[in-house]
Amino acid sequence: MNLLDFYTKKEINFKGNVKIYLCGPTVYDEPHIGNMRPIIIFDVLNKVLSLKQNVEFIHNITDVDDKIINRSLELNIPEITLTNKNFEIYLDLLEKLNIKKPTYLPKVSEHIEGMIEFINDLIEKDYAYESNGSVYFSIKKFKNYGKLGEINIGELIKKSFLNDKEHGEDFVIWKKTNIGINWNSPWSKGRPGWHTECSYFIKKFFGDKKLDIHGGGIDLKFPHHINEMAQYEAYYNFSETSKSWIYVGQLNINSKKMSKSEGNFIKATDFINEYGANTLRIINLLTSYSKPINLTEEVINNAKNLLNKVKNTLRKTLINLAKEKNRRKLSNVKPTKKFVDILSNNLETPNAITFILNQIKILNIDKNKVNKEKIVEEIIANFSLLGIKFNILYNELKNEIRESSLKKDYNKLDELRERLVN
């Protein structure tokens, strides 16, 4: 597998065991379809790598955050009720979208003690300091701060506390507060800063082994990932958190950024209920992962039409095969090598889908020259690697289709055709 690192623009090759970290959702509300794009992309990455290599995949769940406190106060329900509900919805979405479960799915609330120790260690290493009960990371003490990105110090100051800091650009890693859920610490009652959780989880699960692949939505590049790098690299006194950084482009609606605060979003559950999980996945995969997607009615219809074309070709092919004598059952096969090679080149999912559509074309054009069972099996396997699954009932309905054909029961054949592939 080769991936293009976002910062260096160099192609990185991965061999042996692979360690992946993907920043997860803040479960203050139901996930919208934009929230699902990073995990859909990283799921394909995980599946391709797992064909030949051992993969350890961390995907954190932020269930401690100001947004959660504000939302729970607005709804007048306990924070844990809110976060547990939305976490369960997220797990259900992962299942509906055929996402392979990450190796680790840690919640912030279950690792507070470890984060307190991590923060205390940063203080002892002289990279952080306590002030009036809060703890801040000192940017001036960490010489490599922001080495991989363009830093907007003014934005950093705006997003952090202005009071009590030694320098305006320092960022909070323990927030003193008595509003919402909080924990006792050596400094105050409070909770960890957002940027600290990911640094800590990498340390907890991988220690000083560093990551091979780290990523998330493009909006996390600054300040989240820059501040995360600073803490992890300061802790171990080295200059690399991850060999490569992979950023996923935004999903916009009618050329406007999708945002819960603006009310401009579609809940993922609602979209799947209306259009299906395969439609959401293929919309995300028809565009290169780093590029933005502009979701319109036309884009949705094109995705639906593509999937219908695939299903109709499979139905036509399989019903014709079932009519013939001595046709074997379909079996599970590995994805096509050439297909895997395409995905292994910087996860080029649009090219991979084009490869499958060429296989579909062969089924439509060639009548007797190809092994159609084999091509159908490969199509199913290739789509499965992309997380797109069809319910294929060929083996179950094959004999019934042949009998109905011999009896010339065309109404029954039409019914069986619709049941054959969904």
Side-chain angles (χ1 to χ4, degrees):
M1 166 67 76
N2 297 314
L3 288 174
L4 192 66
D5 175 52
F6 177 87
Y7 291 106
T8 65
K9 308 304 178 188
K10 292 180 180 178
E11 197 173 79
I12 311 293
N13 180 259
F14 300 96
K15 296 178 181 177
N17 296 338
V18 182
K19 300 178 290 297
I20 301 177
Y21 192 100
L22 173 66
C23 291
T26 301
V27 286
Y28 73 99
D29 204 348
E30 290 189 42
H32 61 58
I33 54 175
N35 298 141
M36 305 310 297
R37 191 176 187 206
I39 188 60
I40 287 171
I41 296 300
F42 270 69
D43 178 57
V44 178
L45 177 63
N46 185 14
K47 284 171 175 164
V48 174
L49 284 165
S50 295
L51 290 174
K52 298 178 181 178
Q53 295 159 260
N54 179 56
V55 178
E56 288 185 272
F57 182 12
I58 306 174
H59 185 47
N60 67 304
I61 302 296
T62 302
D63 63 344
V64 177
D65 187 79
D66 287 346
K67 289 180 180 178
I68 292 167
I69 293 166
N70 294 337
R71 185 70 169 151
S72 67
L73 290 172
E74 178 187 329
L75 297 174
N76 195 28
I77 59 174
E79 289 161 69
I80 192 168
T81 302
L82 176 69
T83 56
N84 282 348
K85 173 195 169 190
N86 291 324
F87 177 59
E88 290 302 319
I89 290 171
Y90 189 66
L91 290 180
D92 183 58
L93 286 167
L94 297 187
E95 185 174 346
K96 285 178 178 174
L97 287 163
N98 300 312
I99 288 166
K100 182 179 179 181
K101 190 174 180 181
T103 318
Y104 310 106
L105 204 62
K107 290 182 178 180
V108 172
S109 63
E110 295 173 354
H111 294 271
I112 300 297
E113 185 177 334
M115 291 183 194
I116 290 172
E117 290 177 7
F118 177 74
I119 293 166
N120 196 58
D121 287 346
L122 286 173
I123 293 173
E124 291 183 357
K125 291 172 185 287
D126 201 30
Y127 285 109
Y129 60 91
E130 181 271 339
S131 178
N132 196 27
S134 291
V135 180
Y136 299 92
F137 187 89
S138 177
I139 286 178
K140 291 188 182 298
K141 297 271 180 78
F142 184 66
K143 294 179 181 178
N144 284 331
Y145 182 80
K147 65 185 183 299
L148 292 180
E150 295 178 4
I151 304 306
N152 184 334
I153 293 297
E155 185 69 14
L156 188 60
I157 292 171
K158 188 174 74 173
K159 289 188 175 182
S160 190
F161 291 99
L162 293 177
N163 301 323
D164 306 322
K165 295 190 291 184
E166 291 179 359
H167 303 284
E169 66 269 24
D170 294 344
F171 61 89
V172 67
I173 57 178
W174 180 265
K175 179 179 179 179
K176 176 185 177 181
T177 182
N178 57 11
I179 300 173
I181 190 168
N182 55 64
W183 290 265
N184 289 319
S185 78
W187 319 288
S188 65
K189 277 194 171 184
R191 57 182 180 273
W194 174 40
H195 311 306
T196 298
E197 63 186 83
C198 296
S199 311
Y200 169 74
F201 285 139
I202 299 168
K203 171 192 170 293
K204 175 177 173 58
F205 292 105
F206 296 141
D208 63 353
K209 303 302 181 186
K210 310 178 190 178
L211 295 167
D212 295 292
I213 304 167
H214 194 328
I218 190 65
D219 56 314
L220 297 181
K221 182 165 66 80
F222 177 80
H224 182 58
H225 283 160
I226 297 298
N227 290 353
E228 178 193 325
M229 288 182 215
Q231 292 172 82
Y232 181 74
E233 292 169 16
Y235 189 92
Y236 284 113
N237 193 29
F238 54 53
S239 60
E240 186 179 72
T241 299
S242 179
K243 290 180 184 175
S244 65
W245 291 81
I246 306 301
Y247 286 109
V248 178
Q250 286 183 171
L251 198 158
N252 302 317
I253 297 182
N254 295 317
S255 301
K256 293 182 180 179
K257 180 181 176 181
M258 195 178 304
S259 169
K260 288 179 180 175
S261 61
E262 297 293 327
N264 177 40
F265 68 96
I266 302 171
K267 289 181 179 179
T269 300
D270 292 343
F271 188 96
I272 289 171
N273 287 341
E274 184 168 357
Y275 302 112
N278 283 346
T279 304
L280 181 55
R281 281 201 76 122
I282 206 157
I283 284 171
N284 281 279
L285 300 177
L286 281 167
T287 299
S288 294
Y289 68 83
S290 61
K291 306 286 186 185
I293 295 173
N294 184 35
L295 187 70
T296 62
E297 200 65 39
E298 182 182 5
V299 168
I300 295 172
N301 288 334
N302 287 343
K304 288 165 55 183
N305 290 339
L306 188 155
L307 290 168
N308 285 333
K309 176 183 177 181
V310 170
K311 287 190 284 189
N312 287 335
T313 298
L314 292 177
R315 285 174 183 145
K316 183 180 73 173
T317 302
L318 291 174
I319 207 156
N320 288 335
L321 289 174
K323 290 175 183 178
E324 299 176 18
K325 257 188 178 183
N326 303 321
R327 282 292 186 179
R328 64 177 176 83
K329 291 184 176 182
L330 296 179
S331 57
N332 294 323
V333 300
K334 292 180 180 179
T336 315
K337 181 182 182 303
K338 190 172 180 182
F339 178 79
V340 175
D341 289 343
I342 291 169
L343 288 172
S344 297
N345 180 23
N346 199 35
L347 208 67
E348 282 296 341
T349 55
N351 293 343
I353 291 172
T354 298
F355 178 88
I356 297 177
L357 293 179
N358 285 333
Q359 290 182 302
I360 293 291
K361 193 180 294 184
I362 291 169
L363 289 180
N364 282 323
I365 295 173
D366 290 314
K367 294 184 178 179
N368 302 310
K369 295 179 181 179
V370 296
N371 183 337
K372 292 195 173 183
E373 284 106 328
K374 183 173 182 292
I375 293 175
V376 169
E377 288 166 345
E378 289 176 351
I379 289 170
I380 294 167
N382 291 342
F383 266 125
S384 182
L385 190 58
L386 295 176
I388 294 170
K389 291 189 176 180
F390 299 105
N391 186 26
I392 310 285
L393 297 178
Y394 175 76
N395 293 341
E396 293 83 351
L397 300 177
K398 185 164 71 78
N399 292 336
E400 194 174 350
I401 291 169
R402 178 164 168 73
E403 289 173 9
S404 299
S405 176
L406 291 172
K407 292 177 182 177
K408 297 184 178 181
D409 188 345
Y410 300 118
N411 288 334
K412 183 66 174 178
L413 279 173
D414 288 341
E415 177 202 325
L416 293 170
R417 182 183 288 107
E418 291 305 308
R419 290 170 55 195
L420 196 54
V421 181
N422 282 291

